[in-house]
Amino acid sequence: MQTKPFRIGTRGSLLALAQAYEARDRLMAAHGLPEDMFEVVALTTKGDRITDRSLAEIGGKGLFTEELEAKLSAGELDFAVHSAKDMPTKLPDGLHLSTYLPREDFRDAVVGHSARTLIDLPQGATVGSSSLRRQALVRRLRPDLNVVTFRGQVDTRLRKLAEGQVDATLLALAGLKRLNRGEIATDILDPQDFPPAPAQGAICIESRIDDERIDTLLAAVNDQPTFDAVSCERGFLATLDGSCRTPIAGYAVCDGDQLRFFGMILTPDGRKEHSITVNGSRRDGAALGREAGRAIREAAGADFFEDWG
């Protein structure tokens, strides 16, 4: 019988902590455990410390997870809670994404300062985003806009917006909702025109492979539709060797035992794109994502990817 608190690893941002507390609260409810049976351990990652350069320049998504995964592998944490879209497709040996909590809204939100929507922004207005996907999609919609790299936690970006450093920024609607800030969104973007990052809106839990005690604990809060949908999206991303250098978008929706996936790849300037839709059984979600990735890669041709540089 467990006597010591379960140690939950997380980044220290307000959003990351909100996600860790959601995981804790769901586990407390599922198992009838008191709050003192869980200890939230917040770590500052390299990705949090370096905010003046794009992720592509400093090493990619793994910079938000390295410290947590090292402690998880060493047994200093029982499991770690992450934003699923921050997770590299290749994980350290011995670790896996065992659990997904019920997904929030996966759409992107505009937070406008001089206009409420991207369409209404004046010609030459400045839009800030740290995501190459969002940057490419903005340029696709409005090639006249000035798109700049805009990193930092949610509050930092909102402060810069209020100061007038940019005319608008884009944030995941899920994150705003989890911070109880959903009302600040001035527009919510249609995922067919502005598809989200694979796994956007999903909270995942990373744990050690074959740790039956933790697997049993976590299984009670796993949301299977989210697991299946995100597995499809990550399969697409992995097949395309997705990183912070490549504008890749995609989302899957479950309907009964079926799944529909829409994926898109773009050049960073937003001028060239390829999209794909596949349908199939939810049980084959990861395989469907990989199939979509192979098909879109073949349709685009090798030069499309080489041109990204």
Side-chain angles (χ1 to χ4, degrees):
M1 183 178 177
Q2 181 82 11
T3 54
K4 294 181 179 179
F6 293 102
R7 290 171 61 82
I8 306 173
T10 179
R11 292 165 59 194
S13 72
L14 290 176
L15 178 56
L17 288 168
Q19 294 177 162
Y21 293 142
E22 179 178 338
R24 179 201 64 189
D25 293 349
R26 288 181 181 275
L27 286 164
M28 286 168 54
H31 295 285
L33 293 170
E35 186 176 314
D36 61 12
M37 280 303 297
F38 297 92
E39 179 185 355
V40 174
V41 180
L43 300 177
T44 301
T45 68
K46 188 175 181 182
D48 294 311
R49 292 191 293 270
I50 302 174
T51 59
D52 60 344
R53 285 170 281 166
S54 71
L55 290 179
E57 290 180 83
I58 60 175
K61 294 180 179 182
L63 297 177
F64 286 126
T65 61
E66 285 176 356
E67 288 89 345
L68 290 163
E69 289 173 331
K71 289 189 177 294
L72 183 56
S73 295
E76 296 176 39
L77 298 171
D78 289 300
F79 52 91
V81 178
H82 307 280
S83 291
K85 74 173 182 178
D86 288 342
M87 299 304 292
T89 53
K90 183 171 175 53
L91 302 178
D93 290 344
L95 301 181
H96 66 152
L97 302 185
S98 56
T99 308
Y100 288 91
L101 303 185
R103 193 177 203 168
E104 244 295 359
D105 197 314
F106 55 56
R107 294 176 295 176
D108 281 307
V110 176
V111 184
H113 181 63
S114 60
R116 295 184 63 83
T117 72
L118 292 178
I119 298 302
D120 291 335
L121 284 169
Q123 187 168 354
T126 299
V127 177
S129 174
S130 61
S131 159
L132 287 191
R133 172 191 60 87
R134 287 177 179 143
Q135 291 177 357
L137 287 168
V138 169
R139 292 180 177 120
R140 171 177 172 260
L141 270 176
R142 289 285 307 272
D144 61 294
L145 295 177
N146 176 36
V147 182
V148 299
T149 298
F150 199 58
R151 286 198 59 215
Q153 295 177 9
V154 172
D155 281 350
T156 301
R157 282 184 264 180
L158 293 176
R159 175 179 53 77
K160 291 178 180 179
L161 176 68
E163 291 170 354
Q165 293 186 28
V166 295
D167 296 290
T169 189
L170 296 102
L171 296 164
L173 182 57
L176 292 178
K177 287 185 172 183
R178 290 189 177 114
L179 291 170
N180 297 314
R181 303 288 300 277
E183 78 286 349
I184 70 170
T186 56
D187 192 31
I188 298 170
L189 296 164
D190 183 338
Q192 197 69 26
D193 296 325
F194 207 100
Q200 184 159 301
I203 297 171
C204 65
I205 301 181
E206 187 177 22
S207 57
R208 290 181 292 276
I209 295 171
D210 297 329
D211 188 333
E212 293 183 9
R213 178 181 64 101
I214 297 301
D215 282 348
T216 300
L217 178 83
L218 298 177
V221 297
N222 183 56
D223 183 70
Q224 198 60 45
T226 301
F227 191 105
D228 295 341
V230 175
S231 294
C232 177
E233 295 162 21
R234 284 177 58 80
F236 180 71
L237 194 62
T239 302
L240 292 171
D241 192 27
S243 72
C244 288
R245 296 183 181 276
T246 52
I248 298 174
Y251 64 94
V253 176
C254 294
D255 182 9
D257 62 358
Q258 295 295 297
L259 178 149
R260 176 184 176 274
F261 173 77
F262 174 80
M264 180 184 286
I265 56 175
L266 306 94
T267 50
D269 61 11
R271 292 180 181 176
K272 298 179 184 178
E273 65 177 83
H274 291 272
S275 61
I276 190 169
T277 300
V278 296
N279 298 274
S281 169
R282 266 177 50 190
R283 291 177 301 176
D284 304 323
L288 284 169
R290 292 192 294 269
E291 173 192 318
R294 287 190 292 268
I296 206 169
R297 178 183 284 278
E298 184 176 343
D303 290 348
F304 184 90
F305 294 88
E306 290 172 4
D307 287 345
W308 293 357

